[in-house]
Each structure stands twice: as C-alpha cells, then as structure tokens.
Amino acid sequence: GIAAISYENTGPNSIINNGNNGYLIENNNEKDFCDKLEQLIKNIEERKKLSVNARAHIISRFSEKNIINKWIEIFNLITKTN
C-alpha cells in the first residue's frame, strides 16, 4: 500500500479515510497539501502506518470475493421479476 494525499472530491473520498490510510486536503489548499507531503517525507513511521492501512482497506474492500458478490447482486437486480 501507499500513503496517499489527495484533494477532496468524489473519487478519493470513496477510498481514502483521512488520517487512517492517507490524507484528504481541502480543494485548492496547496499549503496544506505541501505540509502533509513534507510530514510524510519526514515521518517514516506515519508513512508506514498509512501504507499498511491503505493496503488492508483496499484488500478488504476490493477482494475477489467482494467483487464477485457485487456482480451477483447486480445480476440478481437485473434479472429479478416482480
């Protein structure tokens, strides 16, 4: 996993839990973005923690089993007859 820093918008908000597996920065706040980047560069322990959490989050959310179950739900909705 990789500790991510991103601006808040609909894409990253669905993957990044701020402070847990990365950082979400207020849109266009370049100073905060740079501060968080510097923080991660200087603090290897924090970077490792966020990286481990990022990997665990993606594995749990996007595992093969979860993806298959989502597809089954979609197919069931499509083929459902009332």
Side-chain angles (χ1 to χ4, degrees):
I2 295 175
I5 303 173
S6 180
Y7 288 109
E8 293 176 336
N9 59 47
T10 55
N13 283 345
S14 66
I15 298 172
I16 299 173
N17 296 320
N18 192 36
N20 182 47
N21 62 355
Y23 292 113
L24 291 170
I25 308 300
E26 181 182 336
N27 288 333
N28 301 317
N29 188 338
E30 294 175 10
K31 181 181 179 340
D32 195 25
F33 191 98
C34 290
D35 289 346
K36 291 297 185 193
L37 181 58
E38 183 177 5
Q39 183 177 331
L40 286 179
I41 290 169
K42 290 180 177 179
N43 189 335
I44 192 168
E45 291 303 317
E46 181 176 4
R47 194 168 64 238
K48 284 181 182 178
K49 178 193 88 165
L50 295 176
S51 296
V52 167
N53 290 346
R55 179 170 169 73
H57 177 72
I58 294 301
I59 287 172
S60 69
R61 186 163 176 202
F62 298 105
S63 70
E64 182 178 345
K65 182 178 178 179
N66 286 345
I67 298 300
I68 289 170
N69 286 336
K70 288 291 182 186
W71 276 108
I72 290 170
E73 285 178 32
I74 291 168
F75 289 136
N76 286 337
L77 285 173
I78 292 170
T79 59
K80 189 177 188 178
T81 57
N82 292 344

